[in-house]
Amino acid sequence: MQLNKIKVKGVAAKFLEDTTSDVRLLIGPVGSGKSSVAAYGLAQMAFATPISNGIQRSRSIIIRNTYRELEDSCIRTFFNWVPQALGHWQASTMTFTIDIPGFCHHQFSFRAIDSAGDIGKLLSTEYSYAWLSEARELPEELIHMLPARLRYPSRANCPGFQGRIIIESNPSDKTHWMHTIGQELRPQ
């Protein structure tokens, strides 16, 4: 199955068509396909990364609040949309790498961030894209520091590169940071 052979309709299509927003927010009820759209969108962004020194390179991070939830949801959903046969899954590091010599090198790292204290795990890391799954369970500090981590490949080596974030979740209450972000991102 090739990623570009899938036809998506409705709200999901509009979400995936948005290739210019730095942050895309997808909120919906249980079972509405948010995680599938996010997984597909993340792969879509990786394979649209500008070429750097003759090769398309990206590093993506998929974040959920616990490793158990990463395994039970994000990883399974990701491999429903990105066939595992395309690359190499390393369970010990929870990293999937698609490496096609002379064409591309894409790395997808699955990480748990449960509290503000866990954000230190991201210090000195560089990514291209991020998917925050069930963001209502993640600390607000994450959304404030993550954009500074989206700097791979460097703009010096890859003019035109822009890091991007996908946030998906079930709805939160109006006092949650995600609601505030949603209001800021709402089209005028």
Side-chain angles (χ1 to χ4, degrees):
M1 173 176 62
Q2 294 179 349
L3 292 174
N4 61 357
K5 299 291 183 187
I6 298 169
K7 181 74 172 163
V8 182
K9 296 180 180 181
V11 174
K14 292 202 180 299
F15 183 86
L16 294 171
E17 288 169 3
D18 177 4
T19 59
T20 59
S21 295
D22 294 343
V23 178
R24 292 189 275 173
L25 181 63
L26 187 60
I27 306 297
V30 173
S32 61
K34 300 174 302 295
S35 296
S36 290
V37 171
Y40 184 91
L42 188 70
Q44 182 185 50
M45 290 187 304
F47 282 99
T49 303
I51 293 174
S52 169
N53 297 322
I55 296 178
Q56 190 180 59
R57 295 178 172 85
S58 73
R59 293 182 196 144
S60 297
I61 185 167
I62 298 92
I63 300 173
R64 182 97 189 232
N65 61 321
T66 70
Y67 281 105
R68 171 59 37 208
E69 289 167 342
L70 277 168
E71 291 173 354
D72 290 348
S73 63
C74 297
I75 293 170
R76 289 180 185 183
T77 300
F78 180 81
F79 285 131
N80 282 338
W81 292 99
V82 180
Q84 199 166 344
L86 286 178
H88 173 72
W89 170 248
Q90 188 169 357
S92 62
T93 62
M94 295 186 83
T95 302
F96 180 66
T97 304
I98 299 172
D99 191 5
I100 303 172
F103 176 68
C104 70
H105 183 87
H106 300 295
Q107 186 178 66
F108 301 88
S109 300
F110 295 81
R111 301 292 180 260
I113 304 288
D114 195 30
S115 67
D118 287 342
I119 292 174
K121 296 176 185 179
L122 300 180
L123 295 176
S124 299
T125 60
E126 295 181 337
Y127 296 101
S128 312
Y129 310 106
W131 163 20
L132 307 184
S133 181
E134 286 302 341
R136 71 180 185 173
E137 305 295 331
L138 298 172
E140 179 178 5
E141 294 83 358
L142 180 61
I143 194 65
H144 296 294
M145 69 79 63
L146 193 55
R149 303 282 142 224
L150 302 180
R151 58 181 192 248
Y152 177 87
S154 73
R155 286 174 183 82
N157 291 332
C158 189
F161 167 73
Q162 178 61 48
R164 302 197 192 306
I165 300 171
I166 294 174
I167 301 172
E168 58 86 359
S169 186
N170 292 317
S172 63
D173 64 52
K174 291 186 179 194
T175 63
H176 192 276
W177 66 263
M178 200 172 64
H179 182 75
T180 305
I181 296 287
Q183 295 301 311
E184 292 171 5
L185 296 175
R186 178 171 283 154
Q188 302 302 320

